[in-house]
Amino acid sequence: MDNRPSTLADGLLAALPIVLGYFPIAFAFGVAATGAHLSPVEAVGLSVIIYAGAAQFLTLALITSGAPLLVSAFTLIAMNLRHVLYGPSLMKRAGPDARRRWSWFWAFGLTDEVFGAALGQLARGRRFSEPFMFGLAIGAYASWVSGTVVGAWAGGGALKNWPAVEAGLGFMLPALFLALLLSILSRAQLPAIAVAVLATVGVTLAWSGTAGILAGMIAGAVAGLVPRKVVDAQ
Amino acid sequence: MRSEILILALMVGAFTWAFRVLPTRADLSAMPEGGLLSRFLAATGPAAIATLFTASVLPMVTGGLPLPLAGGTAAVLAVFAATRSVVGATLAGSVAYGVLFALI
């Protein structure tokens, strides 16, 4: 156990792998946003205000498909509901004496990756502190916003002469989803995952992609309500 | 910035802030283990991410499984298994997809 108080600089250092990963994904978002006819200000605004990669990419799909505002908002809010679980899990790991006075500020940066990195640091003996969480969150946020700025500035046609790079960046989002799924995968959640996948495929093929996403999330979450013993018995 | 995009961003941003911040103030760990809300919350994250992965690859698999998709997926699985790094696995999958796309 490292008894030295964790500092802002420690947090920034711990954020480095996230910074390296976020920048190209945010760059891809900036390029995709301007390619979807959003202005650079709108692209950067989404990153500054929403700050949730998967939700932002879906925002582009919903905007370009002409989905109604409330349907879009509900879909995106439902997508981000998973973040509810991160705060309690992190604070439980931090211990009962952990300060949370400024969590209204640093916890906005509690993305999937920041949450994972914070838990990893605590598991390796790092002492929880709010300055450390500031550093971790600010480093990741700065990378995300600056990557979007550069991508939006480069513009939607920036990669037209680099089709392989464009294809690779286009696969970054599915790759991120798969990696996130692997990071939280547990035997107990397999039924919910299977139901979500089946519902998404079925409703997408029968109706539309937006409906498929809604159906997958709701059906999967509802499948989680089935008591474990019932699932085991089947 | 168009007003409908700004309104959408502010609505989603406000909820995202609430989802991330407010639970740090409440002790949800006192929630009964195996209760309805606990199970629903526990299933929401995996269900959402599985849905998003499916929805994002579905357009790519129409008419068969393309080699870049298979290679990119394999790279994510392999790098995650080796490093447990979400960022590393994501970047590896993206690079593998791009390289295979260039080769075929």
Side-chain angles (χ1 to χ4, degrees):
Chain A
M1 169 76 77
D2 183 359
N3 285 321
R4 182 176 59 88
S6 301
T7 62
L8 181 76
D10 291 329
L12 288 169
L13 201 61
L16 198 57
I18 303 175
V19 169
L20 294 175
Y22 268 10
F23 193 89
I25 299 174
F27 177 86
F29 172 75
V31 169
T34 47
H37 305 296
L38 269 69
S39 71
V41 171
E42 289 168 341
V44 176
L46 290 178
S47 281
V48 169
I49 298 170
I50 295 180
Y51 185 40
Q56 288 178 224
F57 278 98
L58 185 59
T59 301
L60 299 183
L62 291 167
I63 289 173
T64 52
S65 70
L69 180 68
L70 284 179
V71 171
S72 301
F74 176 77
T75 305
L76 298 166
I77 289 166
M79 174 186 284
N80 286 341
L81 186 61
R82 68 184 186 278
H83 291 130
V84 165
L85 303 171
Y86 295 169
S89 178
L90 179 66
M91 297 317 295
K92 189 175 178 185
R93 185 88 203 186
D97 299 328
R99 285 169 58 94
R100 56 191 83 185
R101 182 178 174 191
W102 295 96
S103 69
W104 62 270
F105 185 73
W106 58 257
F108 176 63
L110 208 53
T111 62
D112 302 298
E113 293 77 13
V114 168
F115 167 70
L119 275 192
Q121 289 281 325
L122 294 178
R124 287 193 286 274
R126 166 82 63 195
R127 281 178 63 189
F128 176 91
S129 78
E130 291 201 294
F132 173 78
M133 290 306 301
F134 272 124
L136 194 56
I138 289 170
Y141 186 66
S143 174
W144 185 258
V145 173
S146 59
T148 307
V149 169
V150 175
W153 174 75
L159 298 173
K160 278 193 176 151
N161 294 326
W162 306 87
V165 175
E166 189 171 24
L169 289 175
F171 185 68
M172 202 163 261
L173 186 63
L176 175 63
F177 289 140
L178 181 57
L180 285 174
L181 187 61
L182 292 170
S183 73
I184 61 170
L185 194 61
S186 72
R187 190 182 175 87
Q189 299 299 350
L190 285 178
I193 291 169
V195 169
V197 169
L198 290 173
T200 306
V201 172
V203 176
T204 298
L205 295 178
W207 193 357
S208 73
T210 304
I213 288 171
L214 269 176
M217 287 183 186
I218 294 170
V222 170
L225 294 175
V226 178
R228 182 75 188 145
K229 285 176 185 171
V230 174
V231 173
D232 287 341
Q234 288 173 345
Chain B
M1 191 165 182
R2 282 169 283 177
S3 59
E4 66 268 25
I5 293 179
L6 180 61
I7 291 169
L8 179 64
L10 288 174
M11 286 173 72
V12 177
F15 272 91
T16 304
W17 178 87
F19 290 159
R20 290 175 181 169
V21 171
L22 298 183
T24 65
R25 307 267 172 167
D27 187 9
L28 289 181
S29 59
M31 195 187 297
E33 194 74 30
L36 271 184
L37 182 58
S38 176
R39 290 204 304 271
F40 183 82
L41 286 177
T44 299
I49 297 174
T51 295
L52 296 170
F53 173 68
T54 306
S56 61
V57 298
L58 206 51
M60 301 180 189
V61 297
T62 308
L65 184 66
L67 187 60
L69 176 58
T73 301
V76 172
L77 294 172
V79 172
F80 186 84
T83 66
R84 313 304 267 184
S85 163
V86 169
V87 168
T90 302
L91 292 176
S94 176
V95 169
Y97 189 99
V99 168
L100 288 168
F101 182 90
L103 290 176
I104 60 174

